[in-house]
């Protein structure tokens, strides 16, 4: 029997946001600003934790900017695969 996936309100909010910007690269700072503007309480650590979980599940791609610790994330969806090269003209400078 498969274990049911535990979903918090913050996880649901993050997933909904990422779906709304599918195909775009976003940073954790941009995600925090989005939630702050809407008065949704989601901590930075929670955002990172949930993004890393989504990366492992194949829902999100993570792009690390060379020479820095900065990263941006792209929601690719549940049925998409990441067999393609992403464009590198986005604000994360990849």
């Amino acid at each position: 029997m498969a274990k049911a996936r535990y979903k918090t309100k913050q996880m649901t909010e993050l997933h909904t946001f990422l779906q709304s910007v599918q195909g775009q690269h976003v940073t954790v700072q941009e995600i925090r600003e989005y939630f702050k503007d809407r008065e949704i309480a989601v901590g930075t650590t929670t955002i990172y934790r949930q993004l890393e979980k989504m990366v492992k599940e194949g829902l999100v791609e993570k792009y690390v900017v060379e020479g820095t610790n900065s990263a941006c994330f792209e929601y690719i969806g549940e049925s998409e695969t990441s067999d393609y090269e992403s464009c590198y003209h986005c604000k994360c400078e990849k």
Side-chain angles (χ1 to χ4, degrees):
M1 177 185 280
K3 185 177 178 181
R5 203 169 129 174
Y6 178 70
K7 280 196 164 188
T8 63
K9 180 180 179 185
Q10 291 88 354
M11 180 191 294
T12 301
E13 292 284 353
L14 178 59
H15 193 256
T16 300
F17 168 73
L18 291 172
Q19 284 179 315
S20 75
V21 296
Q22 185 168 356
Q24 298 176 34
H25 297 173
V26 293
T27 64
V28 170
Q29 182 61 32
E30 291 169 329
I31 296 168
R32 279 194 36 79
E33 288 174 19
Y34 172 84
F35 288 131
K36 182 179 177 184
D37 291 346
R38 283 151 186 82
E39 298 181 358
I40 300 170
V42 180
T44 304
T45 303
T46 300
I47 294 170
Y48 276 112
R49 188 179 327 111
Q50 295 304 323
L51 285 170
E52 291 300 332
K53 186 186 246 184
M54 290 179 180
V55 168
K56 287 179 183 175
E57 293 171 350
L59 298 174
V60 172
E61 279 288 335
K62 179 179 180 179
Y63 304 97
V64 178
V65 180
E66 280 189 44
T68 70
N69 290 329
S70 298
C72 59
F73 299 85
E74 177 185 10
Y75 182 80
I76 57 173
E78 298 183 28
S79 62
E80 299 284 324
T81 60
S82 59
D83 295 342
Y84 65 92
E85 283 293 319
S86 181
C87 64
Y88 296 114
H89 63 277
C90 67
K91 60 190 161 275
C92 67
E93 300 176 13
K94 285 223 47 173

